[in-house]
Amino acid sequence: MEKKYLKSFFWVSLFLFFECVQKKENNEVPNIANDSLAIYFNLANNFELPIKKRQEYINKANDIVINQEDDSLNRVNLFKIANRYFNINNWKDYKRTVDLVLENSVKATDTIGIAKAYGYLGDYYRVKLVSDSSFLFYYKAEKMYGSLNNEFELAKTLLNKADLLFRIGDLIGSEKEIFRILRLVKNYDNKIVNEIYYDAYNTLGLVYNAMGEYENAILYHKKALKILDETQIIGKSQTMAISYLNLGMVYSKLKDYKLANNYFLKGIEQQKIDNQDPKIYALLLDNLGYSKFKLQDDSGLPDLFYTSLKIRDSLKLYSEIPSNKIHLSEYYHYKNYKVKSLKFANEALVLARKMNIARETLLALKQITVVDPQNASSYTKEYIRINEELQQYERKIGEKFSRIQYDTDQIKGENTDLETKNRKLVYFFSGLTILGLFLYIIKSQKAKTRELLYKQQQQKANEDIYNLMISQQNTIEANRVQEKKRVAQELHDGVLGRMFGVRMNLEGLNQFNDDLAVTQRHDYLSELKNIEQDIREISHDLNREKSELINNFVAIVDNLFEEQRKTFPSKLISSIDSTIKWDLAVNSVKINLYRIIQESLQNINKYANASTIKVELKKQENNIILTITDNGVGFNVNLKKKGIGLQNMISRAKECKGEFNVQSKKDEGTTITVSIPIG
């Protein structure tokens, strides 16, 4: 029973980590001319003052700054005001201030200010849980900092992007961004980037905890704590309390509740050193109560749960209350207080539904099936429906992020083209002006006719050379783009597919330590070495494909089928026509056929939920016909957007002068047919 609740703890702790820590400022400018403004800024960030009083000081600072002339210092002060609105959760004024500073930065063509404002808007939409808008602004900030070669600000933007990817369930994407950050800052002085290292390690710990890689999660959370021990970070004790909380979460997942209990107690003591944040305190109390409950230690129970619940209710943290009530329901169920247990389970379910929090609703439904078994059937049906909707949403939001990146790059490309056209118009009219001057000189000074004629001929020769250079450059660029596309297809269709299969098998073996498991792990490690060799070959020689695929096509395809059968439960039926003369097929045909089969199987494994797959290669006149059929969930081919995998398959078929066709209906499976000339 405890596993489902620990998952809830994990998401809440992540949210609190990014929402409770004070927003950090950049570009702090000392020696502010107006002393009263500096005083207001300091008082607005005094966490010992009531929020209402801090709001008054922010408003006073805002009244001063808003009436000043727009310049770089004014924009820095506006960012400070936005920071302070963020720290008191005044989202309306925060958004208004950021919009203003963005408008001023655009007018002043202040690229740093624009990029920073984009990052602040990303923070706003992340807090408001509007993931697509948050991703869009982070991506814009990322592109601008990248073009400015500002690696430090780029790393901080990528941290926020990694957190966002983590929240929507893209753990691999989040992990990838974190390691990109660590590469960016590796040459900086540690004193400058310690806070970035801390945030990066902490996020990696959360990612690995979600992946179930608990040893790595503990490793990176302890690395984060080590950085706190070695440096002086604002709000250090509060940040350390969060790290203790996260470590406790990992040990709770490992069911080491005694060690988890110790870390929660450390967190409670540590966060008292700085100004106590009641949101973190409530979370620590709730976790401490749950670990005590699992240890059958009744000391402080159920008061720990009730104290946490009271704090959350007073702070209107309604999204966190359902988990609190679920814990109380489980506690009273254990104590055999059925009425109280059912009461809290029902209250948790009602609030989770009202707040439209899918994960909390799932947890409440699981608990209520335990305490109300008579109605378990209806609750189970609702659980299955919500769980499927949640998975679909996470998949769609990931695809939406990809479209945002594509659309943003497309708009940027169009703007570049427009700038080029405008530049050409300037050149054109400049050329007309020069030509007019030439004509005037010719008419006014006949003595210089031959000299002018020579200059005109020279100008024409220069234009021809210029056009030739442009043509050559376009040819080089086209070849480069085509080669990048081919390499991308190879990596996506080949290496990633195989790595997915190996990872699935390794995860399945984590539960076993017998000789067979050791042997299988060794085999999969060998497979990883083969994948490494494939990557090395692609990197070192873009014109050379794998020799075993070209020279022994049938054996390689059979090996792919065998890997599919070992890795996935679906039944695979394969048939290869023995009359096909593969030596007549050019290498590119065999390579592309293999990749199409591989990508199709990968898509079926991920999305189709099929029990049977049929793959058939046969000869028909002078064509090779590939047919791949599954009895999975299918999709509407008229409504479904083509992802990168399907686009790659279509592109490969066209590259071989063949035809690609896909037929599918909802709940009736899918059939892919490829026809390629054999020679």
Side-chain angles (χ1 to χ4, degrees), residues 657-670:
K657 299 179 180 179
E659 296 179 357
F660 182 94
N661 180 54
V662 57
Q663 294 180 340
S664 182
K665 289 184 179 179
K666 203 72 173 174
D667 300 322
E668 293 186 14
T670 302

Side-chain angles (χ1 to χ4, degrees), residues 2 6 251-252 255-261 291 294-295:
E2 67 274 5
L6 294 175
Y251 284 110
S252 290
K255 298 183 180 180
D256 189 345
Y257 297 109
K258 185 175 182 180
L259 196 51
N261 187 78
S291 63
K294 299 308 293 183
L295 290 168

Side-chain angles (χ1 to χ4, degrees), residues 1 3 28 41 64 68 89 131 181 222 234 236 268 296 339 341 355 363 434 439 446 464 490 504 553 568 591:
M1 286 295 295
K3 189 171 183 179
E28 290 280 1
F41 278 146
I64 295 174
Q68 292 177 343
N89 300 334
S131 300
I181 292 163
K222 287 187 174 180
I234 297 174
K236 175 177 175 180
I268 290 172
Q296 297 183 354
V339 175
S341 178
M355 297 290 295
L363 296 174
I434 294 171
L439 291 173
K446 292 183 179 181
D464 290 339
E490 290 300 307
M504 291 290 292
F553 179 74
F568 299 97
I591 293 166

Side-chain angles (χ1 to χ4, degrees), residues 263-280:
Y263 276 113
F264 295 141
L265 287 171
K266 281 185 177 181
I268 290 172
E269 291 302 316
Q270 190 66 44
Q271 65 100 40
K272 290 179 180 177
I273 297 175
D274 284 341
N275 297 321
Q276 178 174 298
D277 189 317
K279 288 182 282 189
I280 299 175

Side-chain angles (χ1 to χ4, degrees), residues 105-210:
S105 298
V106 170
K107 288 178 182 177
T109 62
D110 177 6
T111 52
I112 291 291
I114 295 170
K116 189 173 179 180
Y118 283 155
Y120 275 44
L121 286 172
D123 294 340
Y124 171 79
Y125 286 110
R126 184 179 60 171
V127 171
K128 289 296 184 179
L129 304 180
V130 186
S131 300
D132 52 352
S133 295
S134 179
F135 184 87
L136 172 62
F137 283 111
Y138 283 145
Y139 188 65
K140 285 183 176 182
E142 172 191 347
K143 286 295 182 183
M144 292 196 73
Y145 285 131
S147 64
L148 294 168
N149 292 321
N150 191 332
E151 293 180 340
F152 185 76
E153 293 298 333
L154 175 59
K156 291 197 288 186
T157 301
L158 292 175
L159 270 172
N160 292 327
K161 184 181 173 185
D163 164 51
L164 186 64
L165 291 170
F166 177 82
R167 292 189 185 203
I168 61 104
D170 186 359
L171 303 180
I172 299 298
S174 181
E175 178 190 31
K176 178 182 173 182
E177 295 296 342
I178 292 298
F179 282 113
R180 182 182 168 193
I181 292 163
L182 295 176
R183 288 194 296 270
L184 279 172
V185 300
K186 67 179 180 180
N187 294 323
Y188 282 81
D189 186 341
N190 283 348
K191 293 180 180 179
I192 298 174
V193 294
N194 265 330
E195 291 189 34
I196 291 179
Y197 274 122
Y198 172 79
D199 290 340
Y201 290 151
N202 189 72
T203 305
L204 270 179
L206 295 171
V207 168
Y208 286 129
N209 193 19

